[in-house]
Structures are given as C-alpha cells and as structure tokens.
Amino acid sequence: MTLFERLDELYAIGGGPGANRPHGSREEDEAHELAAGWMREAGLEVEVDGAGNLVGHAVARADVWVGSHLDSVPQGGRFDGALGVVAGIEAVARVGSGSVVAFRGEEVGCVGSRALCGGGDKLPSAFLELHVEQGPVLATACAPLGVVTGIVGYARGELVVEGRAGHAGTTPMDGRDDALVAAAGEILRIRDVAAGIDGAVATVGQLTVEPGGTNVIPGRVRYSVDARAPDEERLAELIAAIGFEPSSPTGPAPMSPELRSILREEIEGRVLPAVELPSGAGHDAGILASAGVPSAMLFVRSLNGGVSHSPDELSSEEDVALAVEVLTAALRRIAE
Ligand SMILES: [Zn+2]
C-alpha cells in the first residue's frame, strides 16, 4: 500500500467533507487502530501509553522517535498530522531502527505529547516530526522542503475598553465616549505594533460589545489578543508594546541545532535549497523540545496558497516522496 493510499484511508474515516477525526472521537480511535495495523505489518512492536499515544518500536534504537498526530480539526485536510505518522512508519520500516509515534489530541493543545512529557515515562532521546508547512513560504521560495528553526512562542489575553453607553439618536457626535470606536483604534495599533517586530504576529479574533444594541452607543468592549513571536525577547517586546497581561504564555521552542544540521545536509545533498523558517503554529515537536528532548521538524511545501485545516490542503506526491527520503536518511544517521 502506498503512502498516499494510506493518507486516503485515514481521510475517509468518518466521511467527508474533509478529515473528521477530532480528539476523543471514535474516528480518532479508528485512525489509531488503522495505524497500529500498519505498524505491525512493518514488523514493529506496538505499544499504547497511558494517554493513548501509539508507539511502534523497531528492535534497535527505540529511543529515537519520528512521528506526528492523527487527530484532525473538523473538516480538516488530508496531510496535517497524518503525513508525519504514515511517513514515520515508512522511515522506521526502511531503516530498521527507531520508533514511530502517533500522538493524541494535537489540535486541541497537544494533549498527548504534553501527557507524555508530564508523566513518569522515559522520554525519547531525539524526535523528528515531518509535517506540512501550512503556509506559503516554501512555495514562494520554490523549495519542496524546509527546516524549522523553532516553534514560535505565543501569549493570549483579553483587553477591555470602557466608554459611556448612551442613546444612538440623541447623543451628539462630539459628546460621545464610544468604547467600540476606541477599541477599533487599539486594534489598528496592535496590527502596526506586530508588523514592526520581525517575525511577530498579533490577532484580535473576538469582540464582545456591551450593551450590544443597534441603537445604543457601546459602553464597554472586551477583545481577545493572540500574540506570537519567534523568540523570548521579541515575544516580551510584543506583549509589552500591546500592553496586555497574558493568561498563560507558551515560550518559544527552539529546535535542536544538531538535528537541524542533519536535515539541512540531507536536503542539500539532494541538490535542493535548504530553506529555514520558524513555525507559526504549535506542534508536538515544540512540546518535546520544551521538555528537553532534542527535536527537529521537516516541513513539506504546501500548495494551493498554503491553505491548511481545510479539504483544500495539498502537497504533491513528488515533494512528499522527497520528504520521506530525507526523513529516512536523517533517522538512519541518528539511530544507527
Ligand atoms: Zn498538525
């Protein structure tokens, strides 16, 4: 069975449109059972840990892990997570050493990898995650593969603007204290602040307007802030410039320099450009890296403008074949 046929089988679970394997669902279980069968077929010994993570071990160097996750967002794509697992099975089978992992619940906050890192189990000595880029950088650079420098840190919080509610018909424009107009100015300022810090992004995605009547001047607005930056300094700078108190910031997770150079050498050895880029999205590799496991990520070019978390998510068979080759070669070097 080819790797793309396996992706199709996972994609078909739960019916369409898109991948529908949310964490904790029967569909996520079904995907894990399917992958466990493929691992056994590849001659691997299969184990499930207390958090439900699935691990297939070869006989040698079971401490070196490759893999990703099998859960999906509702109506997700064919490649997100699933690619890293099916490619991992192939790499471990080809090399004859190492382990492949399918983590639980990545899309809902990396439930499985966090449980692994917080539990008493022995952690892997290295982790490689192959994943689709989910963005347009590699396609723009005409590069099939990329090496992730680190997972950006992020901070989320809420800001409140107070004004004065009033009658929309009888309050003259110059006598108003409209909280939503003030919030609009703040939201534009947040955009500009993030644009001024290299690699930083900030998003206001939710607004609550009170009292919320069509004929009432807004008296109070609450809005969410999601701020991300590639390293601690820039994240701190961004948080300070926006001026909010993050509820639980997640620090940036740098990838291992040694593993990054192995991936880079394997890419360059195939006469391909080795583009390095940060990951704006969270991944299991970030959780493992933060727990002290040397980790690295290999990105595969996303087509269709880099769209992800959508049935339009696409990577080519040629790019995926190259990625599997590089992952396999890197695993061979680390786990020999
Ligand atoms: Zn993913």
Side-chain angles (χ1 to χ4, degrees):
M1 201 185 218
T2 69
L3 187 147
F4 267 73
E5 285 167 347
R6 287 183 171 173
L7 290 179
D8 284 342
E9 256 194 62
L10 289 167
Y11 193 61
I13 292 173
N20 287 290
R21 306 183 303 270
H23 178 52
S25 67
R26 196 162 43 80
E27 287 76 14
E28 188 190 29
D29 289 345
E30 206 179 307
H32 275 246
E33 279 158 31
L34 203 52
W38 295 332
M39 289 175 185
R40 287 193 194 94
E41 252 174 64
L44 308 181
E45 190 186 318
V46 171
E47 275 180 42
V48 177
D49 71 13
N53 300 312
L54 170 69
V55 186
H57 305 280
V59 182
R61 293 303 307 270
D63 58 309
V64 178
W65 288 25
V66 296
S68 193
H69 61 96
L70 287 174
D71 67 313
S72 76
V73 296
Q75 303 191 13
R78 191 180 304 261
F79 300 86
D80 182 359
L83 174 62
V85 175
V86 293
I89 295 172
E90 191 145 334
V92 173
R94 283 196 207 169
V95 175
S97 55
S99 297
V100 52
V101 62
F103 285 115
R104 289 276 179 174
E106 191 275 344
E107 299 290 1
V108 289
C110 297
V111 171
S113 51
R114 279 183 205 276
L116 171 77
C117 294
D121 287 350
K122 200 165 175 297
L123 295 178
S125 58
F127 179 58
L128 290 179
E129 181 167 6
L130 167 58
H131 203 280
V132 282
E133 182 201 335
Q134 306 180 281
V137 174
L138 295 175
T140 306
C142 293
L145 304 176
V147 179
V148 174
T149 52
I151 317 280
V152 301
Y154 64 90
R156 294 195 181 122
E158 206 177 62
L159 283 169
V160 177
V161 177
E162 302 278 0
R164 198 173 58 250
H167 195 292
T170 60
T171 316
M173 292 309 286
D174 61 3
R176 294 185 180 207
D177 185 5
D178 184 324
L180 183 55
V181 170
E186 271 303 292
I187 292 165
L188 291 172
R189 191 187 65 83
I190 289 169
R191 179 197 59 183
D192 295 343
V193 158
I197 300 172
D198 188 34
V201 291
T203 306
V204 173
Q206 285 178 339
L207 281 180
T208 311
V209 180
E210 294 168 26
T214 53
N215 57 349
V216 186
I217 297 166
R220 189 168 191 268
V221 172
R222 272 186 301 137
Y223 58 96
S224 64
V225 180
D226 175 306
R228 307 182 189 217
D231 52 49
E232 295 283 4
E233 297 77 49
R234 282 180 275 184
L235 185 61
E237 186 190 344
L238 181 63
I239 292 168
I242 292 173
F244 75 112
E245 210 55 65
S247 47
S248 55
T250 299
M255 298 287 99
S256 148
E258 289 76 22
L259 299 182
R260 274 168 62 189
S261 14
I262 289 175
L263 289 175
R264 221 173 29 239
E265 285 164 24
E266 291 303 327
I267 292 172
E268 284 165 350
R270 285 163 180 78
V271 205
L272 297 168
V275 174
E276 299 205 278
L277 70 170
S279 170
H283 291 289
D284 294 308
I287 305 300
L288 271 76
S290 296
V293 176
S295 302
M297 289 192 80
L298 178 64
F299 270 177
V300 185
R301 169 163 57 188
S302 291
L303 303 175
N304 285 340
V307 66
S308 185
H309 286 180
S310 150
D312 294 331
E313 186 179 86
L314 184 67
S315 290
S316 75
E317 294 207 22
E318 298 74 43
D319 289 358
V320 166
L322 279 172
V324 175
E325 252 188 59
V326 168
L327 179 72
T328 303
L331 176 64
R332 186 168 282 126
R333 282 173 61 173
I334 299 160
E336 72 187 353

